Amino acid sequence: MDGMGATEDTTEPREPRWLSDGEQRVWRSYLHATTLLEDHLDRQLQRDAGMPHVYYGLLVQLSQAPRRRLRMTELAKSAKITRSRLSHAVARLEKNGWVRREECPSDKRGQFAQLTDEGMEVLRRTAPGHVAAVRQAMFDRLSPEQVEQLGTIMRVMAEALEPAGPDADLPWLR
């Protein structure tokens, strides 16, 4: 080197902030519990209605929408799934007669998913068993204070993880 202003980069890569033993236990407990909960709800819904939990969630979203219909892009966004996965799910729900697709009159590329009367009836029949499964797996095991704490924790996490900005990698745009 000639010493004319050139500097050598001596910064070393930062060591990752590894999880403490306590954080590792909490993380593993969280993963274990959420995996078991999703499996529990999937099994209940498969047994009672022949559908996975994600399909039930789509039917619920549609049941709460005006005229029981949503644009496919809005349904993908609210379900936090890719458009491809949504299209496959809606095709299965259509095959069962629970949902139908409609063309969007103002946008030739857009489509609506609409909950049929038969789909609404499936929700009415399935909801009591589903809420019992949720209650048994989660709320009956927690004190009111723990329920409040869990709600606060989940809101903080969701707010921090919600994609934002023009460069956000949004699954419903894939």
Side-chain angles (χ1 to χ4, degrees), residues 112-142:
F112 287 98
Q114 180 159 22
L115 183 66
T116 64
D117 291 342
E118 187 178 345
M120 191 66 188
E121 184 54 34
V122 167
L123 272 180
R124 281 190 191 103
R125 283 193 320 262
T126 307
H130 181 64
V131 75
V134 169
R135 182 167 296 290
Q136 180 270 331
M138 188 170 176
F139 294 104
D140 289 349
R141 300 177 185 281
L142 301 174

Side-chain angles (χ1 to χ4, degrees), residues 25-44:
R25 280 190 301 277
V26 169
W27 175 241
R28 287 181 181 170
S29 293
Y30 170 82
L31 290 177
H32 187 70
T34 56
T35 300
L36 289 172
L37 179 60
E38 190 62 32
D39 178 66
H40 176 73
L41 297 176
D42 262 341
R43 284 184 288 117
Q44 177 269 318

Side-chain angles (χ1 to χ4, degrees), residues 4-165:
M4 299 298 294
T7 60
E8 191 174 320
D9 185 5
T10 59
T11 59
E12 294 185 29
R14 288 188 168 196
E15 181 72 16
R17 284 185 55 213
W18 299 110
L19 299 179
S20 70
D21 290 345
E23 290 168 333
Q24 189 67 251
R25 280 190 301 277
V26 169
W27 175 241
R28 287 181 181 170
S29 293
Y30 170 82
L31 290 177
H32 187 70
T34 56
T35 300
L36 289 172
L37 179 60
E38 190 62 32
D39 178 66
H40 176 73
L41 297 176
D42 262 341
R43 284 184 288 117
Q44 177 269 318
L45 287 164
Q46 285 290 353
R47 182 185 63 244
D48 292 357
M51 75 175 102
H53 190 216
V54 69
Y55 290 16
Y56 181 83
L58 295 173
L59 296 180
V60 169
Q61 290 287 328
L62 290 171
S63 76
Q64 296 171 344
R67 298 174 46 203
R68 298 190 322 209
R69 76 178 198 171
L70 286 171
R71 284 188 66 122
M72 293 284 283
T73 52
E74 287 302 310
L75 188 54
K77 180 179 178 181
S78 67
K80 304 290 190 261
I81 60 175
T82 64
R83 291 183 293 190
S84 173
R85 185 174 181 201
L86 176 66
S87 184
H88 176 73
V90 169
R92 294 283 308 272
L93 294 168
E94 278 183 302
K95 187 177 176 184
N96 291 341
W98 300 342
V99 170
R100 75 173 153 266
R101 290 184 218 221
E102 297 177 350
E103 299 301 319
C104 179
S106 64
D107 177 2
K108 296 301 178 197
R109 295 179 304 166
Q111 287 187 323
F112 287 98
Q114 180 159 22
L115 183 66
T116 64
D117 291 342
E118 187 178 345
M120 191 66 188
E121 184 54 34
V122 167
L123 272 180
R124 281 190 191 103
R125 283 193 320 262
T126 307
H130 181 64
V131 75
V134 169
R135 182 167 296 290
Q136 180 270 331
M138 188 170 176
F139 294 104
D140 289 349
R141 300 177 185 281
L142 301 174
S143 70
E145 295 80 20
Q146 289 171 318
V147 169
E148 184 66 31
Q149 290 169 344
L150 182 60
T152 299
I153 291 166
M154 293 295 105
R155 279 189 298 279
V156 168
M157 288 176 61
E159 287 169 7
L161 293 169
E162 189 71 37

